[in-house]
C-alpha cells in the first residue's frame, strides 16, 4: 500500500481528483495519510477533513526564517514517513534537505508542457497568462519527479491541451485542469503505487505489463 501525503496551497481541485480516483478505483493500492498546506484557509484542508484525512498547516510565515521552516517542514514529513509526497498546487519551494530525504519520492503537477513556461515565477494563473501572451497554440500539463531544480526533475507524463480563440487565463486554466491535470496526476500515482514507474538515473522508466 502506497502511503501518500498531499501538499496543496489553495482550493485543492487536484486533491479532489485524487480522492475521486481513490473512490472510483482508478487509483489502487494507495492510502492518503495527510493533507498539508501553507494556507490555513485552504479549501483543500476541508476536502481532506471531509474524508477523515488529517490536515496539517505549515507556513514559512510561522517561522523566524526560511531555514527554520525548511528544517521543521522536513522533520514533519519525516515524522509522517509517506512513501510518496504529492505536490498538488503547492506554492512553497521544497527544502533541499527534504528533496534529499525523499529522493525520487516527490512528484509535482505543473500546468504547462515542461520545459515551456516553467521555473521561477511560473505558477498558477501566471503560467496561463504567459501562454496567452506568447501566442502558443498548444499547452498542457506535466507530472514530474522533484529534484533540486525548479521544475527540472524527470518527467513522468504530459498531456497536450489546445489553446482556443477567445481564451482568458481563467478559461484556459480550467481547460488544462479538466483535460490534463485531473487525469495525469491520479494516473501517475496509480502507476507508482503499482510498480509501473520507477527512476533510473535522471530518467523515468515504465514497466508496463
Amino acid at each position: 500500500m502506497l502511503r501518500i501525503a498531499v501538499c496543496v496551497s489553495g482550493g485543492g481541485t487536484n486533491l479532489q481528483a485524487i480522492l475521486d480516483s481513490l473512490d472510483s478505483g482508478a487509483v489502487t493500492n494507495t492510502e492518503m495519510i495527510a493533507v498539508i498546506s501553507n494556507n490555513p484557509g485552504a479549501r483543500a484542508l476541508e476536502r481532506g477533513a471531509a474524508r477523515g484525512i488529517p490536515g496539517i498547516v505549515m507556513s514559512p510565515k510561522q517561522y523566524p526564517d526560511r531555514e527554520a521552516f525548511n528544517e521543521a517542514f522536513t522533520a514533519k514529513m519525516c515524522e509522517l514517513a509517506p512513501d510518496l509526497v504529492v505536490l498538488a498546487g503547492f506554492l512553497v519551494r521544497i527544502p533541499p534537505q527534504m528533496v534529499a530525504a525523499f529522493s525520487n519520492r516527490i512528484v509535482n503537477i505543473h500546468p504547462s508542457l515542461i520545459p515551456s513556461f516553467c521555473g521561477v515565477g511560473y505558477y498558477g494563473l501566471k503560467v496561463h497568462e504567459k501562454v496567452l501572451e506568447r501566442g502558443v497554440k498548444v499547452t498542457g500539463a506535466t507530472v514530474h519527479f522533484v529534484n533540486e531544480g525548479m521544475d527540472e526533475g524527470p518527467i513522468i507524463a504530459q498531456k497536450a491541451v489546445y489553446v482556443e480563440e477567445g481564451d482568458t487565463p481563467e478559461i484556459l486554466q480550467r481547460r488544462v485542469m479538466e483535460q490534463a491535470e485531473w487525469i495525469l496526476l491520479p494516473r501517475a500515482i496509480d502507476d507508482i503505487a503499482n510498480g509501473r514507474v520507477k527512476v533510473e538515473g535522471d530518467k523515468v522508466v515504465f514497466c508496463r505489463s
Side-chain angles (χ1 to χ4, degrees), residues 5-70:
V6 181
C7 300
V8 57
S9 293
T13 55
N14 275 303
L15 169 68
Q16 190 64 54
I18 298 168
L19 291 169
D20 291 345
S21 296
L22 286 167
D23 288 346
S24 70
V27 172
T28 60
N29 197 31
T30 301
E31 174 190 9
M32 192 178 300
I33 63 169
V35 175
I36 303 166
S37 183
N38 62 305
N39 175 10
R43 190 179 171 208
L45 294 168
E46 299 174 12
R47 294 180 191 268
R51 306 295 184 97
I53 300 167
I56 299 168
V57 177
M58 294 196 74
S59 169
K61 296 177 182 178
Q62 298 170 320
Y63 296 86
D65 54 41
R66 182 51 70 99
E67 187 54 39
F69 167 77
N70 286 350

Side-chain angles (χ1 to χ4, degrees), residues 20 30 34 48 62 89 94 106 108 132 169 188 196 207:
D20 291 345
T30 301
Q62 298 170 320
I94 300 304
I106 307 174
N108 179 55
L132 293 176
R196 293 188 292 268
C207 309

